[in-house]
Amino acid sequence: MRRIRLEALVPKADAAVVFERIRDFPRYADHTDAVREVRVERIDGDVLTSTWSVNFRNGLLCWRERDHIDGDAMHIAFAQIDGDFDRFDGSWQLAQVGEDVTVVFVAAFDLGMPSLAAIIDPIAERALREHTEAVLRGLLGEEIVFRPHRQPEEIRS
C-alpha cells in the first residue's frame, strides 16, 4: 500500500473560501487533463457520494467514493466504495494560520497488483501528487506554495 502527503500554504487567503473551492469536486476536471469527470451523485447532509473518472497511463481509472465533509473543522474524509483500486482513501485538512491557509492532503492507495506494485505504485503516486498540485493551483491560484515532499511511504494494511 502506498501513502502520500501533500502540504501547501495559500498566502493571504480565507480558509472558508479555500474549503468551498476544494469541496467543489466537479471543478477539478477544469484544472487538469488527468481528471475526466467528477459527478456528485447524492448529497445527504454532510455526506456525499461522488463518481470519478481519471486518466492513468494509457487507460482510465474509475471509482465511487463516499465523502464526509465537516465544514466547521474544515476537513474532508473520503473512501472508495467501489472501483478500480483495491483501496483508496484519505483526507483534506485546512487551517487558518494568521493571514494564510494551510492545506494538507493525505491519501492511501492500493492498486491491487502486488506483482507490479514496485513498478506501478511509484508512477501512480507521482501522478496523484502532480495532478493534485495542478488542481490546487487552478482552484487557488499560482501563489500557492507546496512544501517539499518526503519520499513516498509504504504502509501495511
Side-chain angles (χ1 to χ4, degrees):
M1 173 136 15
R2 196 76 155 198
R3 177 180 156 88
I4 69 162
R5 180 180 176 94
L6 177 70
E7 297 180 36
L9 180 76
V10 186
K12 297 186 171 119
D14 180 84
V17 172
V18 171
F19 186 76
E20 286 304 311
R21 289 182 184 165
I22 288 175
R23 71 180 279 174
D24 188 5
F25 302 137
R27 286 200 52 217
Y28 286 27
D30 297 339
H31 302 292
T32 177
D33 292 338
V35 178
R36 282 194 178 183
E37 180 182 32
V38 181
R39 289 187 329 266
V40 175
E41 297 177 347
R42 179 176 53 99
I43 298 176
D44 182 21
D46 292 334
V47 178
L48 61 93
T49 302
S50 53
T51 302
W52 296 71
S53 297
V54 176
N55 295 318
F56 179 66
R57 295 185 49 94
N58 294 325
L60 188 64
L61 286 174
C62 299
W63 70 92
R64 253 177 10 120
E65 67 183 40
R66 181 154 295 116
D67 304 288
H68 296 268
I69 299 173
D70 183 343
D72 293 335
M74 288 185 275
H75 182 263
I76 300 170
F78 62 89
Q80 176 184 273
I81 300 167
D82 58 50
D84 292 335
F85 293 95
D86 267 9
R87 177 181 170 191
F88 182 51
D89 55 53
S91 66
W92 293 91
Q93 180 66 61
L94 283 70
Q96 188 77 48
V97 180
E99 294 183 336
D100 305 327
V101 176
T102 59
V103 178
V104 177
F105 172 76
V106 176
F109 67 90
D110 183 348
L111 291 167
M113 296 180 263
S115 62
L116 297 175
I119 298 167
I120 299 295
D121 285 359
I123 295 168
E125 187 271 335
R126 186 173 56 249
L128 179 58
R129 182 178 301 283
E130 289 172 358
H131 297 303
T132 302
E133 287 180 2
V135 166
L136 288 174
R137 276 192 191 91
L139 292 172
L140 306 173
E142 291 295 324
E143 300 81 23
I144 193 168
V145 177
F146 293 98
R147 296 195 176 122
H149 67 275
R150 298 181 298 247
Q151 289 298 92
E153 301 172 32
E154 301 252 355
I155 57 176
R156 299 196 192 280
S157 51

